[in-house]
Amino acid sequence: QKEVEQDPGPLSVPEGAIVSLNCTYSNSAFQYFMWYRQYSRKGPELLMYTYSSGNKEDGRFTAQVDKSSKYISLFIRDSQPSDSATYLCAMTRGKGAQKLVFGQGTRLTINP
Amino acid sequence: GAVVSQHPSWVICKSGTSVKIECRSLDFQATTMFWYRQFPKQSLMLMATSNEGSKATYEQGVEKDKFLINHASLTLSTLTVTSAHPEDSSFYICSARDTGGRTDTQYFGPGTRLTVL
């Protein structure tokens, strides 16, 4: 069983829709959670960084963490075609811990 | 802030030659950098952790003599693929750990696409 599970998709939605991306994890030692966006043939770009259960909002993006269920989500409101990319969840065991454990990535397409 | 660059962005080489890829943190100092490999439609695979001034730590299954890593300064790490073969063709991405600022996490470079003929 992988430490981090993420549905690889592909996920295709119309422009303006609310997108929900999810990851589950098995190791309760994970304390810091990140979402990265990766466009084709580019490096991942950090979108959200959270370390406590609850919601964190940044513009059209909301990251949600539920440590009791070992479940994290990324919501994208008013989705745009430019949001089309692969979204990777990642987590680490503690501040200063060095290894990121990634999900498989979800390929998202926003249709105009 | 937290910008990481890589050079070159793509390289084509003949089998048997060596290729060096540079990773630079442009606006912060990075005591730790990481090298990843990514195959098409797959997630990132950590190859090694590079610490400034010391030897790199390689992940299981990664040949340290084939993938030479040097982290000579707080803003530069290099990955040299020695005696490259077609199976080494891949997308190589570095990241740098930013311990300053609001977060202690990794920022990624744009990647280097290596094609070995």
Side-chain angles (χ1 to χ4, degrees):
Chain A
Q1 182 187 7
K2 294 180 181 178
E3 282 190 288
V4 180
E5 296 278 359
Q6 183 178 6
D7 187 341
L11 180 62
S12 181
V13 301
E15 182 176 356
I18 297 175
V19 177
S20 173
L21 304 168
N22 310 295
C23 288
T24 59
Y25 61 97
S26 57
N27 191 338
S28 59
F30 289 131
Q31 296 296 321
Y32 292 80
F33 306 91
M34 286 133 282
W35 285 95
Y36 289 88
R37 176 175 64 194
Q38 186 177 24
Y39 292 112
S40 181
R41 298 174 180 266
K42 299 291 184 184
E45 171 193 8
L46 179 65
L47 284 178
M48 301 290 285
Y49 174 92
T50 59
Y51 52 85
S52 57
S53 284
N55 295 346
K56 180 179 180 180
E57 188 174 319
D58 185 358
R60 296 185 295 111
F61 299 93
T62 299
Q64 185 177 80
V65 174
D66 183 346
K67 290 186 179 180
S68 62
S69 301
K70 299 189 184 66
Y71 188 88
I72 67 171
S73 299
L74 178 70
F75 299 97
I76 307 174
R77 293 187 300 279
D78 187 24
S79 56
Q80 305 293 313
S82 58
D83 295 328
S84 299
T86 295
Y87 289 80
L88 297 152
C89 66
M91 48 199 77
T92 186
R93 288 171 176 78
K95 190 171 185 177
Q98 300 188 0
K99 285 190 182 181
L100 287 178
V101 181
F102 284 94
Q104 295 172 266
T106 299
R107 294 181 65 196
L108 173 66
T109 300
I110 308 298
N111 300 304
Chain B
V3 178
V4 178
S5 70
Q6 273 184 251
H7 177 80
S9 56
W10 59 271
V11 58
I12 301 173
C13 69
K14 293 182 179 180
S15 185
T17 60
S18 294
V19 175
K20 180 185 284 188
I21 302 170
E22 292 186 349
C23 177
R24 293 182 185 274
S25 57
L26 299 185
D27 53 1
F28 65 100
Q29 292 184 328
T31 56
T32 307
M33 291 184 172
F34 305 84
W35 287 96
Y36 294 84
R37 187 172 180 177
Q38 187 176 36
F39 292 105
K41 298 184 180 181
Q42 294 189 22
S43 191
L44 287 75
M45 182 189 78
L46 180 64
M47 299 175 64
T49 302
S50 166
N51 292 296
E52 188 266 337
S54 64
K55 290 184 178 180
T57 302
Y58 291 81
E59 294 299 300
Q60 190 174 9
V62 177
E63 300 175 58
K64 60 179 66 176
D65 294 331
K66 182 167 189 60
F67 299 100
L68 300 179
I69 292 172
N70 183 277
H71 193 159
S73 78
L74 289 173
T75 59
L76 173 64
S77 176
T78 60
L79 168 69
T80 301
V81 184
T82 63
S83 186
H85 288 92
E87 58 266 29
D88 298 324
S89 299
S90 189
F91 193 50
Y92 292 87
I93 309 174
C94 72
S95 72
R97 180 183 169 203
D98 182 10
T99 56
R102 297 182 294 114
T103 65
D104 178 1
T105 189
Q106 297 178 31
Y107 293 87
F108 287 83
T112 296
R113 185 160 302 281
L114 170 64
T115 301
V116 184
L117 302 177

